[in-house]
Amino acid sequence: MTDALPKKRMLGYADEISRAPGEKIRFMVSCDGVESYDAAIVRLISGDRHPESFGFIEEPVATLLQGRYRGRHQPLHAGSYAVIDDWDGFALESFTLQAMIWPTRPGQGRQVVLGRFSAGERRGYALILDEDGAVALEIGGGTRTVRVASGVTLHSRRWAFVGASFDARSGIARLYQEPLEILADSGPVAREAQLDARPARNGVPFLIAADTAAMPGGKLVAGHHFDGKIDAPRVAGAALDRAAMQALIRPAAGFPASVVGAWDFSRDIMTDRIRDISPNRRHGRIVNLPTRAMKGHNWTGEELDWTKAPDHYGAIHFHADDMYDAGWEPDFDLLVPETMRSGVYAAKLTAPDGEAEYIPFFVRPRRGSVMAEAVVLMPTASYLAYANERAGLEGGGYLHAFSNHLTALGANDLWLNDHPEIGSSLYDRHSDGSGVAYSSRLRPILNFRPGVTNSWIGPAGTAPWQFNADLALIAWLEAKGIAYDVITDEDLHEEGLSLLARYRAVMTGSHPEYYSKEMYDGLAAYLERGGRLMYLGGNGFYWRVAYHRTLPGAMELRRAEDGIRDWVAEGGEYYHSFTGEYGGMWSRMGRPIHALAGIGMISQGFDISSYYRRKPAASDPRAAFVFEGIEGDIIGDFGTVGGGAAGIELDRYDPAQGSPAHALVLASSENHTDSYYPSPEEVNNVTSMMDARQNANLRADMVFFETPQGGAVFSTGSISWLGSLAHRRGDNPVSRITENVLRRFIDPAPFLIPGHENC
Amino acid sequence: MNEIDRSRRDLIEEFRRTPIGRHSPDLRLLLNRLRTGQGDAPYLLVCTVPHREWRLARKTPRRMSPVTLIPGQVFSSPEEAEWAVFKLLWQERTGEVLS
């Protein structure tokens, strides 16, 4: 027993998540207080330390990277901004800076709107929000910084025009702060002052939404990030009057000769570029993925789709805690050996005192080939959605009531608490309260690790979740000696049907909740062509997401319209910036989950799980293979996820929502606790009879149905199903049913849809 | 709205018997009130040995707020921890020390 909090001192990430033999993966590592560590590759078999599981199992894999490495600290620089790489045009003496802004944390420290300012050297110029949330112009003369401020705090989440001019000959600065809405306590403000400093030359670039803190080794480190939206930023190389500033916003007759840059954020929204629409063409790029396709200062509400009226979506929302690419230097790399069989692997780092860190990755079969008849489709899009989720850290007493048990933090959670700069999950909010719409894998993901449980799911945070929960399927396949390949959501996104078509059966993980259009269409096409799907989880195929088309490992979600939403996208911001696709739930986009999987999300609860009861349809000859060898009617009253095979999130058979009429409901769960409530899209009105103690609709339905061309679907509709596979070392009804289905699904004998036998 | 009925000894015993799992509606109401009515720094656990040892701590929901261990409060099961926290919350709200 120790009085100290558990510490985590090593962490890392890889530049790729899925590689084939002959391909390379780089690993980036940061250490705090660990001078050296041993690195090795291990094959991950099982990560659940629950007494009822197979235990933590890894197998060493000999590779060339094995060895001792020097530990070093690599920093995380969170915060988004835009940088203009053409430096020459910004060595200004007299100038004008202006933008439309929508601040979200005015008064929370100095925040730079735009400028060329070296904070450490106090050299340059910048238009800022000062510590009081008032607009100010700063001139850094080299030895000191002088400032003129409006003296009036801006309102949070209200548009304002802000601008400043400076005449180097006279030293006169003019400052303007003009809310676009008339509010009770802040009208337009204009200030004039004579400043006794001139902008000192510096060696840093022009930035929007930040200034330059340092340039170690020529690598830009930004600081003083602006939280909020910026629209129509402009720079001129002369001190313009207010009327000329106005003309810069939307020049009717071209830009004046003094213009230095005028960026239109409504252009190139799907990219990481920002376009200068002035004749100078000083284009720039965004860093750390600020949110694009945001409503601009001129949004009218007439058009809700940014692709139809991009000029109404000229805002970028910058956040001080945005994080896309940690940008760490590589420490070692792996050329995946030709002999490495498809599976789940990790780079394991071991400190001299035994502390270990794992950086997981997946090895798929050599491209164009398969090594097994069944494939595990690892739901990596969902791993990204949940990456570094903070609910357990910031849920307080509400979370205790909601989950109906105490949260329990481990070393990874405690590290996350101290380091929000690692970036959040799609369940979290930014520090300014806005929802996190982008996630990335180019940073350490502390809950994408073997052995890690979710701090607030399952009593005292004992439930494995996502990746670690899905390892239970890997452990079971290994224990049963059933051959399998491993692929990921990103592989499916890139290759679609052609990837799945090589397999007789596809197995999902426990919670494949997030699907891109390419993924969804690939899976649906597979089922239309005789594929077999084992959906071994709950709340699958629920949210539509979009991967960035050029930035690897970046994924977007708009929590639009309905569904379980830990934050809610603002009206008018429902379309993905990465692709222009409408965001939200797949069930509202002509792709009913019930038709794909036979069942769809109905309920969630986070305390204890329950069991299934066999239904009469289990005796139907069509499904006889499923229950072969199963005695009794109760299935799965055991397991490592809340103690039962039916729990956490549940899916129900519902013909009204598209469940196939010929699907057989083989078993249904029952006796869930009053923590289980319907998901919001199932609630059209509220009653006092909504919880699972009173609402029989809140259940997991186990279904089987045949699909065209000899295919079939088997769905369990419960996140906790996989956690029951290992009970009695795999000698249990959940394991038997899963094995019965898998062995039949890899049998080439076709399934026949009832009534279509002669087709 | 958020009162605690001290006379409901049956709910105390119900929770003592089943700290995690299926609860009666009245116990659910009591638990919701106790848990959401905590002060600035609600209780949570720090897991020190997976599936075997937990320690009691407090933390405000604020980002980066520290996690503070409470000395001497070590548990060997989630149920033991829940009962201990129930007693603490009951005492904070009613002044009564449960045994």
Side-chain angles (χ1 to χ4, degrees), chain A residues 536-558:
Chain A
L536 302 174
N539 189 8
F541 324 107
Y542 191 72
W543 289 108
R544 180 176 195 157
V545 290
Y547 283 102
H548 200 281
R549 288 172 173 165
T550 58
L551 300 177
M555 194 182 84
E556 179 178 15
L557 166 74
R558 299 280 167 143

Side-chain angles (χ1 to χ4, degrees), chain A residues 352-634:
Chain A
D353 66 355
E355 179 183 335
E357 161 74 332
Y358 293 83
I359 308 172
F361 61 97
F362 306 96
V363 172
R364 51 179 289 176
R366 193 173 297 103
R367 292 184 190 274
S369 70
V370 298
M371 303 301 288
E373 293 171 313
V375 67
V376 179
L377 174 57
M378 302 299 291
T380 51
S382 297
Y383 302 165
L384 269 193
Y386 284 92
N388 296 330
E389 185 206 0
R390 308 184 67 83
L393 300 168
E394 296 165 8
Y398 166 82
L399 185 61
H400 192 181
F402 173 74
S403 61
N404 204 19
H405 57 76
L406 285 156
T407 292
L409 307 177
N412 286 19
D413 303 301
L414 293 165
W415 191 96
L416 196 60
N417 186 52
D418 293 338
H419 298 280
E421 68 273 20
I422 199 168
S424 299
S425 78
L426 299 182
Y427 286 80
D428 300 309
R429 293 172 184 271
H430 290 286
S431 53
D432 72 352
S434 58
V436 176
Y438 302 145
S439 183
S440 154
R441 58 172 170 74
L442 295 182
R443 57 178 175 146
I445 299 176
L446 280 77
N447 52 357
F448 174 37
R449 296 287 183 267
V452 173
T453 57
N454 187 302
S455 65
W456 64 274
I457 296 180
T462 51
W465 184 251
Q466 287 286 6
F467 172 69
N468 195 32
D470 297 340
L471 278 176
L473 177 59
I474 301 297
W476 177 82
L477 288 164
E478 293 282 342
K480 293 290 179 185
I482 300 173
Y484 63 96
D485 281 349
V486 165
I487 57 173
T488 69
D489 283 349
E490 285 196 29
D491 298 315
L492 176 58
H493 176 83
E494 293 297 327
E495 299 171 41
L497 172 64
S498 66
L499 178 63
L500 298 184
R502 300 171 193 147
Y503 295 98
R504 291 234 169 82
V506 173
M507 291 173 278
T508 72
S510 58
H511 190 22
E513 182 178 7
Y514 292 83
Y515 261 65
S516 71
K517 177 178 184 294
E518 292 80 354
M519 290 163 55
Y520 200 109
D521 287 351
L523 186 57
Y526 171 72
L527 290 177
E528 288 164 7
R529 290 162 177 75
R532 284 107 185 241
L533 172 67
M534 293 178 69
Y535 167 37
L536 302 174
N539 189 8
F541 324 107
Y542 191 72
W543 289 108
R544 180 176 195 157
V545 290
Y547 283 102
H548 200 281
R549 288 172 173 165
T550 58
L551 300 177
M555 194 182 84
E556 179 178 15
L557 166 74
R558 299 280 167 143
R559 291 205 186 272
E561 283 196 29
D562 209 341
I564 299 164
R565 293 175 292 176
D566 291 70
W567 55 269
V568 177
E570 286 198 23
E573 295 178 351
Y574 287 1
Y575 287 80
H576 293 102
S577 64
F578 287 1
T579 58
E581 297 166 337
Y582 189 65
M585 300 174 65
W586 275 118
S587 59
R588 290 168 172 260
M589 299 182 201
R591 288 174 173 78
I593 300 157
H594 295 73
L596 182 86
I599 51 179
M601 172 66 171
I602 181 68
S603 178
Q604 66 176 15
F606 298 99
D607 49 5
I608 60 170
S609 301
S610 193
Y611 55 86
Y612 296 79
R613 184 180 293 278
R614 189 200 301 238
K615 308 289 279 188
S619 303
D620 189 300
R622 289 162 53 205
F625 69 95
V626 178
F627 277 78
E628 194 175 312
I630 303 293
E631 295 177 359
D633 289 340
I634 303 299

Side-chain angles (χ1 to χ4, degrees), chain B residues 37-92:
Chain B
Q38 296 185 65
D40 180 53
Y43 291 106
L44 45 61
L45 303 173
V46 171
C47 182
T48 41
V49 182
H51 299 283
R52 282 177 39 205
E53 184 183 279
W54 295 265
R55 304 198 56 179
L56 190 60
R58 302 190 87 147
K59 182 191 183 306
T60 72
R62 202 175 56 248
R63 190 153 295 184
M64 292 185 79
S65 67
V67 176
T68 306
L69 287 174
I70 299 173
Q73 296 270 16
V74 185
F75 312 110
S76 59
S77 74
E79 289 79 8
E80 184 186 2
E82 291 289 348
W83 173 239
V85 170
F86 181 93
K87 288 192 291 183
L88 288 166
L89 294 177
W90 183 271
Q91 183 180 358
E92 286 175 12

Side-chain angles (χ1 to χ4, degrees), chain B residues 31-44:
Chain B
L31 292 173
N32 286 350
R33 288 179 173 178
L34 287 174
R35 290 165 174 174
T36 59
Q38 296 185 65
D40 180 53
Y43 291 106
L44 45 61

